[in-house]
Amino acid sequence: MALALCAAGRQILFALLLLSLGSSAASSIVNMRRITHPTVKQSLAGKAVLPCVFTLQPTSSDQPPHLLWTHTRPPAAGGQGAAPEQIVLSAKGDLIQVNKAFIGRVMLPGYTANPLNATMEISSLRTNDSGTYHCQVVMGNDYERDTVPLVVSGVVFHYQALSARYALSFTDAQKACQEISAEMATPAQMWAVYYDGFTSCAPGWLDDQTVRYSVQKPELGCYGHKEYSAGVRNYGKRDPKELFDVYCFAKELDGEVFHSSVPGRLSLSSASDRCVSLGGQLATVGQLYLAWKAGLDSCAPGWLSDGSVRYPVTWPHLDCGGSQPGVHTVTPNTTADNNTELYDAYCYRGKVKDSGSITQIYTSLWKPWSYLTGSSDAESTGADNTDSSTQQPTTTRGSSDGSNVLPTNWTGLVDLEEEASLASPDPWSSDSSGSFMTLQLIPGQSLFDWGETLEPGPDSEEFLRPPVQPTPAEKKVISKIVKSIWKPWNYLAGTEDEEGTQTPSEQAGEEEPATKKTDEGSNPSPG
């Protein structure tokens, strides 16, 4: 009863406002509810559900509801500012316009049953899907505008043994990723980072026992999923004893990574001791990649737990990382460098759970002693502070991914002329038809086909294997065939059979180095 009276009172107030302002000015006054949802966090290549349901009591309207989803990415590295707002999809009744960049990856799971349910599901998540999503549902003069921050966590990176390239069997690759706080990447994750711009012309194991690598700019000996194209090249499922590099996936950083230095620098063993003295341990490669993704920026090479020397560059410049952001690796001159070279250190310190309650207990126990000695609480607890003067400053830029947005809920009358429009251009205009695909619901249809992605992905049946060298038995068969074909020429030329079979063997001998050059000529990404 109370809800009905409240709704009736709101409608009366709305009508009085329209009369007082006049019909021309009042056309832009609407009843609006704004809701900011908690941040949605999901892993790379996973699935996210972004809530948006029209909850107002709608006034009478002959028009079907109109809904619109938009996306704004966080500012890119390099300080280039926020990206423009992008329309994801728009729906009017049984017609739905979907941005071609999202076709096959987005759907409205509750829309067919209830057109006021605009909850959107995004699959095959990519890092550049992170950002702020806005949903607007319009029903007559009632507007619902929801804000949903999305954070896609995790990073895929290339890793090789310190001793040499292509030195890891499948089992060794699994262990290598585990030892650096990561796991083997999946094909779906590899394709996700490919669409984020990742490139590395170095074949590496994935968790399905296939060997792949991501290529943005194809060149001789370094192609994507097709010859002379970009994409993820797939060598198919390989013998687990074969040797390649590996692609690892680090999911989430449960702590902090920081850079530490002392005068004269540190050896590997002294770097480990240094981190322990600061309440942590040497960071792993996976932890450094996650810290870099979160904004850690430092031009000082430092030791990591696996004995490698790396440094994270978020804001590259001429003297630091060149033109490419990423985790850069310092290549040792010899294998003895691990024991003799001196660098800084990158340390990892895990989060201390319930530190507040521990501090309170410590302070309460210390109070009697503080009272007797006349020292203050601040002085008493000062011994617990870390000596930060010995830690060299690194830059961690504040992330604008929306992870710190607080939930809100507001309802009131709004003048649309004073509101910033959600997005432009209009997906329903003829000028935008090339960027969107139109889908149509069938009345009574409970399941709806939201289309297949227009881009290749991990389910693509196309893959290219590396050149395969024939086995000794196959070589023997080939040699016999070539020898029999060569016999008439040997007879006419008066040469021995053995001489006649030299040409094919020489050709086979020339092909082998060429194949090796193709593999070794690929430049792996920093890792």
Side-chain angles (χ1 to χ4, degrees), residues 217-289:
K217 295 181 179 179
E219 55 186 346
L220 184 63
C222 188
Y223 301 125
H225 73 293
K226 293 181 180 179
E227 295 289 356
Y228 309 105
S229 74
V232 176
R233 189 176 182 92
N234 184 0
Y235 285 2
K237 192 169 184 178
R238 309 297 297 177
D239 186 325
K241 295 180 181 179
E242 290 188 78
L243 303 180
F244 296 96
D245 294 341
V246 65
Y247 288 95
C248 303
F249 171 72
K251 184 177 181 180
E252 196 168 3
L253 186 65
D254 189 23
E256 63 169 339
V257 172
F258 58 93
H259 166 253
S260 181
S261 178
V262 298
R265 305 298 172 89
L266 300 160
S267 65
L268 176 58
S269 60
S270 59
S272 178
D273 295 339
R274 172 68 178 169
C275 290
V276 171
S277 71
L278 296 174
Q281 58 191 25
L282 274 176
T284 64
V285 177
Q287 289 165 348
L288 186 63
Y289 268 96

Side-chain angles (χ1 to χ4, degrees), residues 136-400:
Q136 176 173 279
V137 182
V138 180
M139 188 70 174
N141 286 318
D142 293 297
Y143 281 60
E144 170 112 12
R145 282 189 177 179
D146 289 23
T147 299
V148 189
L150 173 64
V151 174
V152 180
S153 63
V155 58
V156 170
F157 57 95
H158 166 260
Y159 187 80
Q160 67 182 61
L162 294 181
S163 57
R165 289 180 65 185
Y166 310 138
L168 299 172
S169 66
F170 182 70
T171 301
D172 292 337
Q174 287 178 314
K175 293 179 180 178
C177 289
Q178 292 171 359
E179 290 172 354
I180 57 174
S181 306
E183 59 191 37
M184 295 182 78
T186 67
Q189 289 165 348
M190 179 63 84
W191 274 100
V193 294
Y194 161 74
Y195 288 115
D196 286 329
F198 178 74
T199 185
S200 173
C201 195
W205 290 107
L206 297 184
D207 75 337
D208 65 344
Q209 206 177 308
T210 61
V211 173
R212 315 188 192 204
Y213 58 86
S214 173
V215 174
Q216 298 292 333
K217 295 181 179 179
E219 55 186 346
L220 184 63
C222 188
Y223 301 125
H225 73 293
K226 293 181 180 179
E227 295 289 356
Y228 309 105
S229 74
V232 176
R233 189 176 182 92
N234 184 0
Y235 285 2
K237 192 169 184 178
R238 309 297 297 177
D239 186 325
K241 295 180 181 179
E242 290 188 78
L243 303 180
F244 296 96
D245 294 341
V246 65
Y247 288 95
C248 303
F249 171 72
K251 184 177 181 180
E252 196 168 3
L253 186 65
D254 189 23
E256 63 169 339
V257 172
F258 58 93
H259 166 253
S260 181
S261 178
V262 298
R265 305 298 172 89
L266 300 160
S267 65
L268 176 58
S269 60
S270 59
S272 178
D273 295 339
R274 172 68 178 169
C275 290
V276 171
S277 71
L278 296 174
Q281 58 191 25
L282 274 176
T284 64
V285 177
Q287 289 165 348
L288 186 63
Y289 268 96
L290 287 169
W292 163 74
K293 187 173 183 288
L296 184 64
D297 184 77
S298 174
C299 284
W303 292 108
L304 295 179
S305 63
D306 67 337
S308 63
V309 178
R310 308 173 194 248
Y311 59 100
V313 177
T314 303
W315 307 86
H317 51 81
L318 185 61
D319 298 326
C320 181
S323 61
Q324 296 297 324
V327 175
H328 296 260
T329 303
V330 176
T331 305
N333 295 323
T334 66
T335 55
D337 283 354
N338 279 3
N339 298 320
T340 60
E341 291 296 307
L342 301 177
Y343 296 99
D344 293 345
Y346 285 98
C347 307
Y348 169 77
R349 189 161 43 209
K351 290 181 180 178
V352 179
K353 298 181 180 179
D354 299 325
S355 59
S357 59
I358 294 173
T359 302
Q360 290 176 1
I361 296 172
Y362 173 80
T363 304
S364 63
L365 292 174
W366 198 263
K367 272 188 176 181
W369 174 254
S370 303
Y371 177 77
L372 292 174
T373 58
S375 61
S376 65
D377 289 345
E379 292 172 346
S380 303
T381 58
D384 192 48
N385 294 335
T386 303
D387 181 11
S388 59
S389 62
T390 58
Q391 299 179 26
Q392 298 299 318
T394 55
T395 303
T396 303
R397 307 277 178 160
S399 175
S400 302

